[in-house]
């Protein structure tokens, strides 16, 4: 029964996808005598938290007295854009709280549970913990590091090509896979490419889901080669565009700013934008998650600098052949198999005619945590 109600809370939490960043996805269910009497979820940044949303949906406030609360994330106990949820739980006379994930935010981190227990409320921890944790890898990373959670995504053929030798790449995957990418664009706050992708493909990098949210577009452009007449710049006044650069060309910067773009000047690394410094700056902008849709060069740099958390590979049942200059990761590569970037926690899904392979990316030095085969 506990799992049944927590699964309902998890389903509710997903209604906040693309709307709550940089806050977490949270769902809540109030149960009395085995019957759901109210539900809620965090519907948007600055809006009611899940617990308070559920209490607002009660037929009568007094109905919650003696009831149980199922919540996917530990109730907050501090003032932010909303008052502490722990106080609402106490005021409504809830007798027992079932918690899925514990909140790693240093302002909460067990203090919410302790506050409830100090008020005489029984707390049951870890109900469907893995499923609840899976709601918020972006939030957990961002709240503990203050840098975005980066999902590196690419589509490739069975022979490992992300484009034909002439540069043509539309379309490698089918419509179902492309729809899934749009869902990811909606869920993550930012999307990042290199200027090479802009010059070759002239993308818009928008979310094409009805009612979806456009991500903040981010272009790594060390020498400000981005054309003022490209789609990204032409729409910068309506859809946010951040251009990361090390260029000192103030004339170019002023022209881009006049068209609505924002310029982020980063530290330099090997003559290019320092991605680690860029991540710190984007974190300050409250960009908690990024979909990296770069080409092979930017992907290589992202892996080298250790900013990638998750890998999504869309694998299409096609063969392009050719020279292989359009590989998903370029550069000189590693010099030994033992130096490879290691992946873990794989999942494989069939989406239409294509396959989606997902992995967590281990940082250098974390490989020792892997079990021996």
């Amino acid at each position: 029964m506990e799992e049944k109600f927590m699964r309902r809370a998890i389903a509710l939490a997903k209604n906040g996808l693309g709307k709550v960043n940089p806050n977490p996805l949270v769902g809540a269910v109030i149960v009395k005598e085995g019957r759901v009497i109210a539900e809620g979820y965090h519907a948007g940044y600055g809006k009611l938290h899940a617990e308070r949303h559920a209490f607002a949906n009660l037929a009568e406030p007094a109905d919650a007295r003696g009831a149980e609360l199922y919540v996917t994330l530990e109730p907050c106990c501090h003032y932010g854009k909303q008052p502490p949820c722990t106080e609402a739980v106490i005021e409504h006379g809830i007798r027992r709280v079932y918690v899925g994930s514990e909140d790693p935010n240093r302002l909460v981190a067990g203090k919410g549970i302790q506050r409830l227990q100090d008020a005489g409320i029984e707390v049951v921890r870890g109900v469907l913990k893995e499923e609840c944790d899976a709601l918020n890898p972006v939030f957990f990373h961002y709240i503990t590091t203050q840098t975005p959670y980066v999902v590196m995504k690419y589509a490739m053929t069975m022979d490992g090509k992300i484009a034909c030798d002439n540069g043509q790449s539309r379309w490698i995957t089918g419509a179902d896979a492309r729809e899934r990418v749009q869902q990811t664009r909606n869920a993550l706050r930012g999307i990042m490419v290199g200027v090479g992708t802009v010059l070759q493909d002239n993308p818009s990098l928008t979310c094409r889901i009805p009612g979806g949210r456009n991500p903040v577009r981010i272009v790594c452009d060390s020498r400000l080669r981005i054309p003022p007449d490209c789609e990204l710049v032409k729409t910068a006044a309506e859809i946010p565009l951040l251009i990361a650069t090390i260029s000192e060309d103030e004339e170019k910067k002023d022209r881009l700013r006049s068209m609505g773009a924002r310029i982020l000047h980063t530290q330099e690394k090997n003559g290019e934008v320092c991605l680690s410094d860029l991540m710190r700056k984007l974190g300050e902008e409250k960009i908690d998650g990024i979909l990296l849709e770069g080409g092979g060069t930017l992907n290589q740099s992202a892996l080298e600098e250790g900013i990638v958390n998750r890998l999504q590979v869309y694998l299409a049942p096609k063969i392009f052949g050719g020279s292989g200059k359009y590989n998903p990761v370029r550069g000189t590569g590693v010099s030994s198999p033992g130096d490879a970037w290691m992946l873990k926690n794989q999942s494989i899904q069939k989406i239409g005619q294509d396959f989606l392979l997902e992995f967590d990316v281990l940082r250098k030095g974390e490989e020792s945590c892997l079990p021996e085969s």
Side-chain angles (χ1 to χ4, degrees), residues 106-140:
R106 61 181 179 79
L107 297 175
V108 185
K111 300 184 187 74
I113 289 173
Q114 189 62 54
R115 174 73 181 103
L116 297 176
Q117 291 174 330
D118 289 346
I121 298 172
E122 181 185 351
V123 178
V124 180
R125 308 182 190 210
V127 180
L128 293 184
K129 175 177 167 52
E130 287 188 9
E131 293 178 43
C132 290
D133 286 353
L135 288 169
N136 288 305
V138 173
F139 172 74
F140 291 162

Side-chain angles (χ1 to χ4, degrees), residues 26-42:
V26 187
V29 175
I30 303 172
V31 177
K32 193 168 186 177
E33 297 175 354
R35 182 175 62 88
V36 174
I37 60 172
E39 301 178 333
Y41 61 93
H42 187 32

Side-chain angles (χ1 to χ4, degrees), residues 15-23 25 42-45 138 181-191 204-217 238-240 285-291:
N15 290 323
L17 271 170
K19 302 168 187 173
V20 303
N21 315 72
N23 283 353
L25 296 167
H42 187 32
Y45 182 63
V138 173
V181 172
Q182 295 301 315
Q183 293 173 17
T184 306
R185 286 187 181 185
N186 179 60
L188 295 173
R189 188 71 189 94
I191 184 169
S204 60
L205 302 181
T206 54
C207 175
R208 293 184 284 277
I209 295 176
R213 176 194 63 179
N214 286 319
V216 176
R217 287 94 53 89
E238 294 81 41
I239 306 170
E285 298 279 337
K286 295 190 181 300
I287 296 176
D288 59 343
I290 291 172
L291 179 60

Side-chain angles (χ1 to χ4, degrees), residues 62-352:
D63 288 349
R65 192 156 299 279
E68 299 175 334
L69 172 68
Y70 291 78
V71 62
T72 57
L73 183 68
E74 176 181 1
C76 66
C77 54
H78 65 288
Y79 283 88
K81 289 187 176 295
Q82 293 289 333
C85 290
T86 50
E87 303 315 298
V89 174
I90 294 167
E91 290 164 7
H92 280 83
I94 295 291
R95 70 180 181 88
R96 182 182 295 122
V97 176
Y98 294 89
V99 174
S101 300
E102 295 186 32
D103 193 337
N105 184 347
R106 61 181 179 79
L107 297 175
V108 185
K111 300 184 187 74
I113 289 173
Q114 189 62 54
R115 174 73 181 103
L116 297 176
Q117 291 174 330
D118 289 346
I121 298 172
E122 181 185 351
V123 178
V124 180
R125 308 182 190 210
V127 180
L128 293 184
K129 175 177 167 52
E130 287 188 9
E131 293 178 43
C132 290
D133 286 353
L135 288 169
N136 288 305
V138 173
F139 172 74
F140 291 162
H141 175 84
Y142 176 73
I143 204 65
T144 54
T145 68
Q146 296 301 297
T147 60
Y149 181 93
V150 178
V151 178
M152 188 171 86
K153 163 259 163 185
Y154 54 82
M156 70 178 188
T157 62
M158 287 293 183
D159 56 337
K161 307 300 191 303
I162 61 172
C164 300
D165 271 3
N166 62 6
Q168 292 295 313
S169 61
R170 295 184 180 179
W171 297 106
I172 292 176
T173 54
D176 291 336
R178 299 199 299 273
E179 173 68 18
R180 176 64 68 88
V181 172
Q182 295 301 315
Q183 293 173 17
T184 306
R185 286 187 181 185
N186 179 60
L188 295 173
R189 188 71 189 94
I191 184 169
M192 187 166 79
V193 297
V195 70
T197 296
V198 178
L199 293 171
Q200 180 168 306
D201 298 337
N202 192 23
S204 60
L205 302 181
T206 54
C207 175
R208 293 184 284 277
I209 295 176
R213 176 194 63 179
N214 286 319
V216 176
R217 287 94 53 89
I218 304 153
V219 179
C220 294
D221 185 4
S222 299
R223 282 163 283 284
L224 284 184
R225 294 189 293 146
I226 190 168
D229 61 348
C230 72
E231 287 298 318
L232 293 176
V233 176
K234 288 194 298 185
T235 58
E238 294 81 41
I239 306 170
L241 172 64
L242 300 180
I243 302 174
T245 190
I246 57 174
S247 171
E248 300 292 350
D249 191 328
E250 296 303 324
E251 184 178 342
K252 282 186 179 179
K253 291 179 184 178
D254 287 343
R255 184 177 183 188
L256 291 166
R257 289 189 186 107
S258 72
M259 299 181 74
R262 289 186 56 206
I263 308 296
L264 286 181
H265 199 280
T266 74
Q267 297 173 12
E268 178 181 337
K269 184 168 184 179
N270 300 324
E272 305 289 343
V273 164
C274 175
L275 296 180
S276 299
D277 184 50
L278 176 58
M279 292 303 107
R280 289 189 288 271
K281 286 179 166 58
L282 294 176
E284 292 169 0
E285 298 279 337
K286 295 190 181 300
I287 296 176
D288 59 343
I290 291 172
L291 179 60
L292 175 59
E293 290 199 8
T297 301
L298 183 57
N299 287 348
Q300 169 76 12
S301 297
L303 289 167
E304 288 281 2
E305 293 204 38
I307 68 167
V308 181
N309 301 98
R310 186 79 172 164
L311 177 65
Q312 291 184 342
V313 180
Y314 289 87
L315 188 59
K318 301 176 182 178
I319 293 175
F320 282 178
S323 67
K325 70 176 181 177
Y326 286 106
N327 290 333
V329 178
R330 299 188 70 185
T332 57
V334 299
S335 57
S336 164
D339 294 330
W341 288 279
M342 301 299 292
L343 310 174
K344 66 175 183 177
N345 298 335
Q346 72 274 17
S347 69
I348 301 175
Q349 302 175 59
K350 192 172 190 304
I351 302 176

